Amino acid sequence: MGCLFSKKSRRKSPKKDSALPAGDESATGNDLPETNNTALGSNSNQEAPKQYSWDKREKVDPKDFMLTGLKNETVGRLPGKLNGQQFVIEDCENCNIYVFDHSATITIDDCVNCRIILGPVKGSVFFRDCKDIKCVVACQQFRTRDCKKMDVFLCCATQPIIESSTGMKFGCYQYYYPELAFHFKDAGLSIFNNNWSNIHDFTPVSGETNWSLLPEDAVVLEYMPLPDPESEFKSVKISAEANRSIVPLTKGGRRTESEDSCLFVFFAGDYTTANARKLIDEMTAKGFVLIQTKEVSMRPEDVNRVFQNNAESLTEWITKGPVVALELNGDGVVEACRSIANEVFNGTKLFVSESKNTSSRDVDNFFNFADMQMGL
């Protein structure tokens, strides 16, 4: 969180000149002998005390990074208030909590019947001893312990973990506010690395299910209301519409309706993210479904293993940065992807499955590699 207390340098006060007449307040420099004028001059030009780095740090009030003991309130933090610091929420009841900024880690303890929006978190989000919570969360790691009845719209770069928790329901992250894309970048999170449906239950119970997926048509605003128009957050332009969400809406682990899938990979360039978003918009408008996405770096040996017969022509393209891969699903999806690649992305560095016969292998090869690369 940074240093909470600053050391103050102690400046020595100039010694009173012994030549000044004691008790004579009317005495001035002009009344002093020349030698004393010289002495005063040298004293007034003393070097300022040395400044250390901790002297220059802005003082941090721990209370600015905590919400504790609140009831029936709308509270949170506006953009620019946390700037990557840690944050704590505890002992809150029936509150609407909006954290519109990026942070290092967030812990939420002993909260009941709260609705919580969290901006991107560089590290972990940890819920403990909470119940009846509805939340929208983007983070590197997501964990719960001793929690009951939580509805979570999640973007998580790693595998979410629940422990001693029941009644947990998960859906894909859907949210937007103007600074959100920058906050994802500041938190070091990729909008394409989202394992929201790949839950690991650390304490499974035989014959019981501690977690499930929210309905596919779940709408965030039905779970998490917009801020009160009279609150301090009224100036934040929020949207929870799926087509405006910073994070692409994926089907995740839900059952697909078609056996046809296609791998579409964009190699690093100036418009990789924009091209991926355009592809998603074009394909979903045609009725196809986005299953999953990943953004990972590749080495030449990875290209050989994943793309096999096409590897030679693709190896030089991986040197510019990570690749963005998408799995799209639906009858005739391979033909549709190849058509849009030629019509919309002609000249762009990309890979598209060649046929229905090879597409399943392409999808498995790439996403198995990506999961291993990310430790999933």
Side-chain angles (χ1 to χ4, degrees), residues 58-213:
E58 184 178 351
K59 291 184 179 180
V60 175
D61 186 347
K63 293 180 181 178
D64 291 339
F65 304 96
M66 299 178 66
L67 294 173
T68 181
L70 302 174
K71 188 173 182 179
N72 303 324
E73 293 193 37
T74 295
V75 292
R77 294 294 182 270
L78 288 166
K81 295 299 183 180
L82 296 185
N83 287 325
Q85 296 282 2
Q86 299 177 22
F87 198 67
V88 173
I89 303 171
E90 60 185 13
D91 296 315
C92 293
E93 182 179 351
N94 194 35
C95 290
N96 292 335
I97 299 172
Y98 302 90
V99 180
F100 294 126
D101 205 357
H102 68 101
S103 56
T105 63
I106 295 183
T107 56
I108 304 97
D109 294 328
D110 301 296
C111 291
V112 178
N113 191 30
C114 289
R115 292 140 305 272
I116 303 172
I117 297 283
L118 300 181
V121 181
K122 186 174 185 177
S124 65
V125 170
F126 199 176
F127 284 84
R128 297 177 294 196
D129 299 291
C130 296
K131 64 179 181 179
D132 295 317
I133 302 293
K134 303 181 190 305
C135 57
V136 178
V137 179
C139 58
Q140 177 73 19
Q141 299 175 331
F142 179 88
R143 289 194 64 184
T144 70
R145 190 175 68 202
D146 299 316
C147 293
K148 297 178 181 179
K149 295 181 65 176
M150 288 183 58
D151 296 332
V152 187
F153 290 89
L154 180 63
C155 176
C156 187
T158 57
Q159 186 175 29
I161 295 174
I162 64 173
E163 179 182 354
S164 301
S165 299
T166 60
M168 311 293 291
K169 295 182 180 181
F170 294 88
C172 184
Y173 185 101
Q174 301 168 56
Y175 215 72
Y176 167 86
Y177 59 86
E179 297 85 357
L180 186 54
F182 298 104
H183 290 167
F184 263 89
K185 185 177 180 180
D186 291 337
L189 299 178
S190 168
I191 62 173
F192 298 108
N193 291 334
N194 187 7
N195 298 284
W196 66 270
S197 65
N198 185 20
I199 313 299
H200 176 67
D201 187 350
F202 199 72
T203 53
V205 178
S206 179
E208 297 183 14
T209 303
N210 293 325
W211 67 273
S212 61
L213 301 183

